[in-house]
Amino acid sequence: VSIRLQLLIVALTTLILPWAGCQYARELENALRVSQENALESTADTIALALSAQPARVFHGPEDSRPYAEEQGDLYVFALHSAPLLDGYREDWGAAADPKRLPSADGYGARLQVGSTDRYLFIYLEVDEPHFVAEPANPDVDKDRFDRVDVTLEQPDGSLESYFFATAAPGLIEAQKTLIQGDGTARVANEPRIQAYWLEAAGGYHLEARVPLALVGGRLWVEAREASGRKAGFAADSAQGGRLFMATSGLGELLATFIRRGTRATVVDANGLKLGTAGALRAAGLEDDTSGTWYRRFVTVDTSSWPVQASLPDRITGKSITAALAGRPAAEWLRSSAGAQDLLLLAAAPIAVDGRTRGAVVLEQSGDQLLDLRDRALAHLFDLTLLATALAVLFAFSLATFISVRIGRLRSAADSAVGNDGRIRLEMPESGSADEIGALARAFERLLARLNEHARYLRTLGGKLSHELRTPLTIVRSSLDNLESEGVRGDQRGYVIRAREGTVRLQSILSALGAASRVEESIQQAERVSFDLAELARAAVAGYRDAFPNARFMLDVPADGCLLFGAPELIAQMLDKLVENAVDFTPPGGAITLKLARAGGRYELSVENDGPSIPDAMLGRLFESLFEHRQGSDDKPHFGLGLYIVRLIAEFHDGNALAVNRPDGNGAAFRVSLPMI
Amino acid sequence: VAWGISRPGARHRPGALGYDPAVKKSIAIVEDEPALRENYAAALARHGYQVKTYANRKVAMQAFTTRLPDLAIIDISLEDEAEGGFDLCRDLRAMSAELPIIFLTARDSELDAVSGLRLGADDFLTKDVSLPHLAARVAALFRRIDALRLPQNATDMVRRGALVMDAGKMQTTWNGKPVTLSLTEFWIVHALALNPGHVKNRQQLMDAANVVLDDSTITSHIKRLRRKFLEIDPAFDAVQTVYGMGYRWVE
């Protein structure tokens, strides 16, 4: 794993900051939620307390402890803010709910809704009636078959009064009732106080009726009857059903004085039916600001399992309502609808009158306020930590890149510190830096300096040895000279000859050992002239052909002149060494090729020979002093000085020497590259 | 007559007065290595020279102020004086312009050889030289000195155009002007000029000069002797390099 990656991983741990921020935000949200719950709950409690002091303005009519039984015909009366026009249309009612379907034993379709204003009770009925049968003139209610709607009212005095609506033609009509005359016959008479509008609609008719509240007691039955006899609704039954549960007029205005914007207050009775409501929730999405919302998914408390608000037009249900109606204030969080993220806080407090719970105040508040608060707090935190993380990652990455580039430079410098020509480069990059990498570079430099010192010592060792050994050798030789001159006995002569042979060999070894330093010195004193390299190569090859008759020499030089400013004797000496080396390793009959070519401002001079390849490990060391690379063909001591001299001469001409194996594996090539100028 | 070695004041040489060839010639060896010193002394004594040996410059100079030898063989580094031989050579040359001086040293650097010859030494030998070769050199130098007094002998003369070499007297002239060659240089030119046009390789030249030298030293000898001819004749081009083989004399 690279340093870059390691540091990147370390930098990424700063992502813990935004994570911690999220945790913090969640806790913050929970705390805010609890405090909002408490606040709303206490507000609800306060309102409930205030309302319980004036029950007459909250609960109208006598207390009825029986539960609301819709299936028995109990009706909830919506509070209408203004009296609708009698036109058979319900659009001006303002009630949120659709009319409720009336029960029917034979599948007759009718839907009913009841509302009231201060003075009137309004009845709205939709009836599915494919074959309208009009009312005959002077109908006999018991015998005549026609489509009609029966309405029975419990009057304020407790007696029941039945009316029916029917018409010969749609339009504004009046209720009719059957009067029993003195003679016992029945007569149908209009009741002008009860007016209605009969509207013919697609697939049936609508009836919108208006009854003065003065005629209305606590109960009402509505039944739609078809000419064929089918019917829907409830027949009047003095024992049960038909009770009207009416919203309290003026309660909404009263509630409005208690609440603030964004809160909806509702008073429900013991059945949970709405008695009055005021205020509105802030419409979700209206001021939806999109900035900073994208990270909500990371921080939002999971609400998908929360209950959905039970949104009914006539009543409110739920855990907290139940609790409040049981006498305990409560609050709960709801989702405003399934699948939505909009939250709703609902708090309910009981309204106790004379020590008994008669209803509850329900306050609803949007949870968006909370989210806004949280988001505002979080957006900053989030942006800052993300910025910090990004900066940390960027910084760590650049630092890592910087470090790894520097180490890379150091490594490649270390790789190439000992060049192909055996020269040691002493300068390392980064050695000027004060940090650990700089220290490493300096340590490398010291190491290289010592290596160089060592290499130099090895290079000069030969010369020093040769110098030091020369005097004792001379003593031996001159003693032998003297011994021979004095006359040696015949049987001793062999020893003297052998001793002399030994000194001759020692002499040649010493001479070779010291040659390197002598050559270096003479090279430094060489004079430069301008001469033709091609001409020199041609002349030299001619000489080699005479000198080495066993080898085949090939020559490949440009026809025109190759001017070089240098020391021709040295170049010739260099060629001698290369050719001697090549001759040593060329099998009998093998070819030695001397090539000269121009290549990009340089002369490439190469001597190639057939024969064995050079082991790869040795290629770079061939030009070192006293490096013996292969076994020569004769018994002469081989100290590899020849190629060292080649290198010295190439370097004297600002060039370099290189040994390569031929690609085909047959033989080696030694190349010297010399700059033209 | 112009001689290979012609120095001002040659005729006032102290040892020249009453010179008799029959009298043993005296050789001074200044060498700090006792074993070598004795070996050289023994060998030269065997050749009929009167040899005196000195271990350092001080002792040698004391003796030389009393009486000069006929020839001096000097090592460069003498005991604690690394270049004592050079100083001694300079002093000797100041005392006598004609006294033959041979440097015999374990040092073999080009620089030393050049310095020694510049100080007026007649030859510069490394200790690789064998005793018979040393004796031959000594004899050749004495021959050169003796030639100043002996009549011309034409038998050992080599004439190649402008070049005249007298092997007997070790003297060389070019266009009639003397060329002051050291002994090694003389024998190199002699070997080349003897067979004009023939290429002599380095080994052959070393054999001719009775020295063991390495290639680069031969090269520098050639360079130096060319320069000596060029000083006399800027158009000199008789010693040619044959790359890869050696050198030849071209007329």
Side-chain angles (χ1 to χ4, degrees), chain A residues 6-15 389 392-394 396-397:
Chain A
Q6 290 173 29
L7 265 175
L8 189 63
I9 291 168
V10 169
L12 283 177
T13 57
T14 55
L15 279 178
T389 301
V393 169
L394 192 72
F397 193 73

Side-chain angles (χ1 to χ4, degrees), chain B residues 152-214:
Chain B
Q152 286 252 211
N153 180 353
T155 50
D156 286 341
M157 302 291 277
V158 175
R159 293 171 194 276
R160 298 284 177 260
L163 176 79
V164 178
M165 299 189 88
D166 183 339
K169 298 176 185 168
M170 314 294 296
Q171 286 158 0
T172 311
T173 61
W174 179 261
N175 282 336
K177 293 175 191 162
V179 186
T180 58
L181 299 176
S182 77
L183 278 186
T184 306
E185 291 159 0
F186 179 88
W187 273 318
I188 288 175
V189 176
H190 191 259
L192 290 172
L194 215 51
N195 295 300
H198 283 215
V199 176
K200 296 281 181 191
N201 65 26
R202 293 182 169 90
Q203 188 58 50
Q204 288 168 319
L205 292 179
M206 277 192 262
D207 292 346
N210 288 329
V211 282
V212 181
L213 300 168
D214 55 68

Side-chain angles (χ1 to χ4, degrees), chain A residues 268-291:
Chain A
V268 298
D269 66 8
N271 287 303
L273 293 167
K274 292 177 181 172
L275 294 178
T277 187
L281 293 176
R282 189 161 46 160
L286 263 186
E287 42 183 305
D288 194 9
D289 95 60
T290 50
S291 70

Side-chain angles (χ1 to χ4, degrees), chain A residues 477-479 481-482 485 518, chain B residues 39 46 108 128 131 214 243:
Chain A
R477 279 194 8 195
S478 55
S479 299
D481 284 347
N482 275 338
S485 303
R518 285 197 303 278
Chain B
N39 273 348
R46 203 178 306 117
D108 56 358
D128 299 335
L131 289 186
D214 55 68
Y243 295 119

Side-chain angles (χ1 to χ4, degrees), chain A residues 486-656:
Chain A
E486 296 287 330
V488 183
R489 282 209 321 272
D491 52 344
Q492 294 168 337
R493 198 151 192 87
Y495 302 122
V496 175
I497 290 171
R498 265 168 256 155
R500 185 170 291 284
E501 282 168 358
T503 61
V504 168
R505 271 165 71 178
L506 205 49
Q507 171 72 39
S508 67
I509 291 170
L510 287 186
S511 173
L513 279 176
S517 48
R518 285 197 303 278
V519 167
E520 281 179 52
E521 196 177 312
S522 72
I523 284 175
Q524 292 317 314
Q525 291 171 358
E527 288 169 10
R528 293 171 191 251
V529 294
S530 200
F531 69 100
D532 183 356
L533 195 55
E535 184 57 43
L536 187 147
R538 267 192 290 273
V541 167
Y544 299 141
R545 283 186 176 131
D546 289 342
F548 306 105
N550 290 332
R552 280 189 298 124
F553 282 93
M554 323 276 240
L555 182 64
D556 179 8
V557 298
D560 50 337
C562 294
L563 275 186
L564 182 74
F565 186 69
E569 311 89 45
L570 291 183
I571 297 288
Q573 194 181 351
M574 182 179 81
L575 278 180
D576 291 351
K577 298 300 176 192
L578 287 174
V579 167
E580 279 168 23
N581 179 72
V583 167
D584 276 352
F585 298 102
T586 306
I592 297 172
T593 310
L594 195 153
K595 275 187 201 159
L596 175 62
R598 295 188 188 86
R602 298 176 83 86
Y603 294 118
E604 298 281 347
L605 191 58
S606 71
V607 175
E608 295 183 19
N609 68 285
D610 296 342
S613 298
I614 307 165
D616 284 347
M618 293 186 174
L619 280 176
R621 302 190 55 201
L622 285 177
F623 294 95
E624 290 174 16
S625 170
L626 301 188
F627 183 78
E628 175 55 23
H629 63 294
R630 334 181 243 191
Q631 281 304 309
S633 52
D634 54 25
D635 293 334
K636 282 192 294 181
H638 277 250
F639 290 102
L641 254 190
L643 292 177
Y644 178 59
I645 292 172
V646 168
R647 170 179 138 195
L648 291 177
I649 293 174
E651 285 170 357
F652 173 74
H653 290 91
D654 298 320
N656 56 52

